[in-house]
Amino acid sequence: GESVGLHLPTLSVQEGDNSIINCAYSNSASDYFIWYKQESGKGPQFIIDIRSNMDKRQGQRVTVLLNKTVKHLSLQIAATQPGDSAVYFCAENLTGGGNKLTFGTGTQLKVEL
Amino acid sequence: KAGVTQTPRYLIKTRGQQVTLSCSPISGHRSVSWYQQTPGQGLQFLFEYFSETQRNKGNFPGRFSGRQFSNSRSEMNVSTLELGDSALYLCASSLTQGAQFKNIQYFGAGTRLSVL
């Protein structure tokens, strides 16, 4: 069945350090993955996406890595800033699933000054 | 360009009532999806609309329904409200249906529904 899980519910990092948020997925039919950031009182905000024919994609201060062999996804945030404090969700989209997203449980990222 | 707009932002209802939530997608976006977010269940897919037709449906009871208008605006309705329906209801819009090409979904701020 479909399931997307996160390894850690809370991650605390020092300002300026790099953050790594992990995500496991179980459905090999998933071909599109997205990371969202959700701040308190707001809706999820798109960060970066990756398709299953790629294993790495970089954005501004963020990198997503996809390991299809072990069905693992990670989000790396470089030089973490206080404004990065939020809940991060990974989501997967199945081939033929239209726009339906299956979300992970979320990781709370706390940036300590 | 305006983002996804959801109204109202907050709602308080009592058990047994019904409620209608509204979503205006980003201009030019034709697909609208709805999600329910609760602390216990996280973000769960409700349904997706494209060209006024429901294209996809999640595992929710028939009390949850929706529709899409010709201008791509969407509404969702929950009838006979239960306490467990208290949640943040999020709407997301995207350019297309996502059948052949994947496209980013952009979320609104949500409607916070409290059922008393």
Side-chain angles (χ1 to χ4, degrees):
Chain A
E2 305 167 2
S3 69
V4 179
L6 295 175
H7 295 314
L8 295 173
T10 303
L11 176 65
S12 294
V13 299
Q14 294 290 321
E15 182 181 4
D17 287 350
N18 296 334
S19 302
I20 300 177
I21 301 172
N22 295 303
C23 176
Y25 66 95
S26 62
N27 199 321
S28 57
S30 295
D31 64 352
Y32 179 56
F33 304 88
I34 314 98
W35 282 99
Y36 284 94
K37 169 188 179 182
Q38 187 174 26
E39 297 173 284
S40 181
K42 298 183 179 179
Q45 176 189 355
F46 171 83
I47 301 172
I48 192 168
D49 59 355
I50 188 168
R51 300 178 197 284
S52 59
N53 61 353
M54 305 170 69
D55 52 21
K56 181 179 180 179
R57 191 162 189 225
Q58 289 183 291
Q60 187 176 13
R61 284 201 306 118
V62 295
T63 301
V64 56
L65 299 177
L66 175 62
N67 185 330
K68 294 181 287 295
T69 301
V70 295
K71 297 189 182 68
H72 184 267
L73 193 68
S74 68
L75 176 70
Q76 300 178 3
I77 304 173
T80 312
Q81 303 168 359
D84 295 327
S85 294
V87 177
Y88 289 80
F89 294 95
C90 63
E92 64 177 309
N93 180 255
L94 297 176
T95 304
N99 284 318
K100 176 183 176 181
L101 296 176
T102 299
F103 282 85
T105 53
T107 292
Q108 174 79 56
L109 176 64
K110 296 183 178 180
V111 182
E112 299 170 351
L113 303 177
Chain B
K1 198 178 212 182
V4 178
T5 304
Q6 292 188 245
T7 57
R9 287 297 311 278
Y10 303 94
L11 265 178
I12 300 176
K13 293 286 186 179
T14 56
R15 281 181 299 174
Q17 288 187 310
Q18 67 101 26
V19 66
T20 299
L21 313 181
S22 179
C23 173
S24 293
I26 293 171
S27 178
H29 284 195
R30 297 174 60 197
S31 172
V32 173
S33 297
W34 289 89
Y35 293 82
Q36 181 196 65
Q37 185 174 27
T38 61
Q41 300 297 318
L43 276 150
Q44 292 187 296
F45 174 80
L46 278 157
F47 26 65
E48 174 191 359
Y49 286 88
F50 180 79
S51 293
E52 302 176 64
T53 302
Q54 188 179 92
R55 301 290 179 162
N56 229 329
K57 190 177 189 306
N59 295 324
F60 280 83
R63 299 186 297 107
F64 292 81
S65 62
R67 58 177 175 169
Q68 186 180 35
F69 302 95
S70 58
N71 62 358
S72 294
R73 191 178 70 84
S74 177
E75 289 181 347
M76 69 162 282
N77 185 78
V78 187
S79 63
T80 318
L81 284 166
E82 300 177 359
L83 295 178
D85 296 333
S86 294
L88 179 66
Y89 290 89
L90 292 159
C91 167
S93 81
S94 55
L95 274 172
T96 67
Q97 187 182 352
Q100 191 173 4
F101 302 103
K102 302 299 182 180
N103 50 126
I104 298 168
Q105 292 188 60
Y106 297 92
F107 283 82
T111 294
R112 173 74 62 184
L113 172 65
S114 297
V115 182
L116 306 178

